[in-house]
Amino acid sequence: MHPLAGADDQGRAPLPWLDEALTQVLARQRGHALLLQMAPGDGALALGFLVAQSLLCETPRPGGGACGRCTACHLVAKRAHPDLFVLLPEATRRELGWLLATDKEAEDKNRKPSRQIRIDEVRSLLAWAGNTSARGRGKVALLHPAEAMNEAAASALLKTLEEPPEGTRIVLTAADPARLLPTVLSRCQRQQPPRPSVEQALAWLAAQGLAQAETLLAGCGGRPLDAWALAQAGVDARAWAALPQAVAQGQGGALAGWPVPQLVDALLKLCHDGMAVAAGGAARFFPSVPAGSDPAALAQWLAALQRVARHAGHPWNEPLLADALVTQGRSALAPARAAKRRLDTL
């Protein structure tokens, strides 16, 4: 499923749970700046794109959804609509193939694409917004995720968010609006679309060919696109369920081949579950985790994982990083007395 697929020629969303979400968003949409509070793993980008397509559609369905058949919808599908501006971080643009005119096809292979939305990119959007609508139904800009804007980029957008050129509408997505500038939040109508139900998510994952999808779905907090991405990265349900025991035994090889972001995310979730079980609660992300761990040792491991998470884009030596984090995890997940002995020797 491509998150920029848009509605098909029957007007259906590319993700089944987004039809209801789109109907609700369009029914409540007011004003020129809309903020969708939704996680990427629930389909935030796909929903934002559907909203943008629906606003540009020339023969919308009852309720306002895009028809998928008109000229405007075909232009959107071909990424050629002159009144649509999609602004993503450079890394996401290259991953999805939605490049800006200023992006170069041939890039320095040693430079990692930025995961921020930068001020020069926002200025490109502002220059586009100042042009007259080409097809007469106004213009729509989609920014995803809004948290990726650095402070300078967000500040540059403020005036247009407050007083955009006539007919220009701006759709933003954010999983965590608290990370946005208060001045950005105050200029947007905020909506929180419904999340996919477990039944919808499992049915969709099964249609993608995922076996034991419920394990990966639980491991991803109920977010089906995150579960699908995990499977695409080579992590199946069996590997996920076996991870707590592998880490408790210090088997760093269990994480061989895992991309650093997924690796760190999985270990953070395992640490969370370890803390929950140590406090007398239940695991949330894994079917089971070792009991009897020392909360102090888990807290030290959590701090180490959070330091790495802040620099997940760093060119790590992945096997060495996995071994180091699993060694710390082994001490943290061991029964309290054994953990204390190991930590004393570090």
Side-chain angles (χ1 to χ4, degrees):
M1 193 289 300
H2 197 289
L4 295 171
D8 65 14
D9 59 6
Q10 300 299 314
R12 294 171 300 200
L15 297 168
W17 58 88
L18 292 185
D19 287 314
E20 177 187 355
L22 178 64
T23 299
Q24 290 191 20
V25 168
L26 293 176
R28 299 170 183 170
Q29 194 268 330
R30 302 289 185 273
H32 56 264
L34 172 65
L35 174 64
L36 301 175
Q37 182 178 339
M38 191 177 192
D42 286 335
L45 177 55
L47 179 59
F49 193 68
L50 282 170
V51 171
Q53 181 185 8
S54 298
L55 294 174
L56 292 171
C57 179
E58 294 165 356
T59 56
R61 295 179 292 117
C67 70
R69 299 186 302 273
C70 69
T71 301
C73 284
H74 284 303
L75 287 170
V76 167
K78 293 178 180 178
R79 306 184 182 187
H81 200 302
D83 296 331
L84 174 63
F85 194 107
V86 176
L87 183 51
L88 312 165
E90 181 187 2
T92 308
R93 294 199 301 271
R94 295 194 176 281
E95 178 186 344
L96 299 180
W98 195 294
L99 301 178
L100 296 178
T102 52
D103 288 328
K104 297 179 180 178
E105 290 290 350
E107 277 289 332
D108 180 359
K109 302 300 183 183
N110 295 320
R111 184 184 73 83
K112 278 191 171 290
S114 174
R115 295 195 173 275
Q116 291 187 339
I117 293 176
R118 299 170 294 192
I119 187 170
D120 57 323
E121 297 162 348
V122 169
R123 285 173 177 158
S124 295
L125 184 157
L126 300 181
W128 165 87
N131 298 328
T132 303
S133 169
R135 295 191 61 83
R137 287 192 61 84
K139 302 163 73 71
V140 183
L142 170 63
L143 283 81
H144 167 87
E147 304 101 313
M149 287 190 292
N150 58 35
E151 188 170 349
S155 297
L157 185 64
L158 289 177
K159 186 175 186 338
T160 299
L161 270 180
E162 186 169 15
E163 296 182 39
E166 186 176 357
T168 298
R169 287 166 286 191
I170 303 173
V171 180
L172 306 92
T173 77
D176 184 7
R179 292 173 55 194
L180 300 177
L181 293 178
T183 44
V184 169
L185 287 175
S186 67
R187 287 163 169 79
C188 297
Q189 180 200 7
R190 186 163 153 185
Q191 290 201 42
Q192 189 168 4
R195 294 193 62 196
S197 67
V198 172
E199 294 75 19
Q200 289 173 320
L202 288 177
W204 182 79
L205 289 170
Q208 310 311 305
L210 268 68
Q212 298 178 294
E214 62 279 359
T215 298
L216 287 184
L217 185 64
C220 293
R223 293 172 176 163
L225 295 189
D226 288 347
W228 180 75
L230 203 59
Q232 293 298 108
V235 181
D236 61 15
R238 180 179 298 180
W240 184 267
L243 187 62
Q245 194 61 36
V247 172
Q249 294 174 358
Q251 298 172 1
L255 290 163
W258 289 41
V260 169
Q262 278 95 345
L263 180 155
V264 176
D265 180 67
L267 293 180
L268 280 167
K269 288 172 176 173
L270 177 53
C271 186
H272 167 278
D273 278 4
M275 288 180 162
V277 170
R284 175 185 176 190
F285 300 108
F286 291 90
S288 64
V289 298
S293 302
D294 181 4
L298 287 166
Q300 290 184 35
W301 189 35
L302 175 63
L305 290 168
Q306 289 174 331
R307 284 194 295 271
V308 174
R310 287 193 290 270
H311 304 284
H314 183 79
W316 298 99
N317 181 312
E318 295 181 13
L320 291 179
L321 177 66
D323 282 343
L325 294 177
V326 168
T327 297
Q328 290 175 297
R330 181 188 178 196
S331 295
L333 292 174
R337 291 183 181 178
K340 185 177 187 306
R341 287 198 299 272
R342 288 191 185 125
L343 287 171
D344 288 343
T345 64
L346 294 178

